[in-house]
Amino acid sequence: MRAPSKLDPKASLPSASTAGGPGGDLVDHYGRRIRYLRLSVTDRCDFRCTYCMAEDMTFLPRGQVMSLEECLRVVQAFVALGVDKVRLTGGEPLVRRDILWLMARVSALPGVRELVLTTNGSQLASMAQAVREAGVRRVNISIDSLRPDRFREITRVGDLSKVLAGIDAAVAAGFAGIKLNAVMLRGFNDDEFEDLVDFAVARGIDISFIEEMPLGDTGHLRADTCMTQDEVLPRLQARFGLVATGEDSGGPARYWRMPGSQTRVGFISPHSHNFCDSCNRVRVTATGDLYPCLGQDDMLPLLPVLRDAAGGHTDTALLGAIRQSMGIKPHGHDFDVRKPAPAVVRFMSLTGG
Ligand code: SAM
Ligand code: SF4
């Protein structure tokens, strides 16, 4: 296994040829242009999903978490470097206090084509309208089961009725797009995929099925629960007459359509249909760590730059650090669900989904 890089953001910058594209855009060593930032605004969450977190989580001290002003500076720097799509994620982004403040400012930035959100839906019943008014264009809402007891088992603490009310509120709020996300979990929800598609079809919204990724030690062997697109797609094709599309929503999902419905069925398949060659995104954690790849440990901490009073808090240093990170974007992940210890020890809730 190769050793991951941890770059010193204050070290001298690499030459332009290794740090970005000609127009100041972000281009990595493999020629992939980065236009999409996924920003985790908190590692905290009101759920404890079994595939995402350990049962007993210790969350970060607040002083280590970026302020919302710092989050905005990070987004502004990425936008100055050609990023035009921003996803707020977590943890659960809607439990972050004053998150609407950040949404309104990010969505108003010239250069931001799309501000989108990933949420577990627990707060949407009361927040969906305000989130839409703050400029969020599309939302992804995670829901792995439509059965209250099972939903509770998977999330450990979640209340399905709140999420269902949240989905209704999101539909009423008039987002340009709503997509449900369901992780395919053998032995937990593998008899519900058709029901989940029916649920999406009834609301005229999209749904994506995700292959479970080995991120963090959740106390179970991922190979026992992980299901792949190749197992599930034929089932859904037989039932719904799914037809492949070349549609690309700018993320990792690939889509299928069905006759007589506007619902698209997507798959996010890092194991069975690797999408790393076309990766266009990087992630920043709530602590300001820039991870060019979800599935590797290479990272560059931005907090020292953001809080460097001696450096005058200049955004020149921030821009330089972000450009520098292109030099450590790895070619792809090395996920292997059969290994008892995950290669990446960070939980998904820390890096941001
Ligand atoms: N709390 C929000 C939510 O659940 O939508 C946003 C953060 S969550 C980490 C983002 C997405 O990552 C969710 O759709 C979740 O199901 C997915 N996810 C979490 N852990 C995962 C894992 N180990 N493998 C695959 N998907 C995972
Ligand atoms: Fe929380 Fe989302 Fe992780 Fe579930 S998947 S524990 S809702 S961050």
Side-chain angles (χ1 to χ4, degrees), residues 45 47-49 51-53 90-92 120 349:
C45 187
F47 290 0
R48 296 284 184 279
C49 302
Y51 52 81
C52 176
M53 289 189 177
E92 174 46 42
N120 65 22
S349 56

Side-chain angles (χ1 to χ4, degrees), residues 44-47 49 51-53 88-93 118-121 140-144 181-183 210-215 218 222 347-350 352-353:
R44 290 167 195 252
C45 187
D46 50 348
F47 290 0
C49 302
Y51 52 81
C52 176
M53 289 189 177
L88 300 184
T89 180
E92 174 46 42
T118 303
T119 173
N120 65 22
N140 289 357
I141 306 171
S142 303
I143 183 164
D144 304 312
N181 277 342
V183 181
I210 307 175
E211 293 179 353
E212 182 183 7
M213 290 172 260
L215 296 165
T218 49
R222 306 286 185 157
F347 292 107
M348 181 72 146
S349 56
L350 183 67

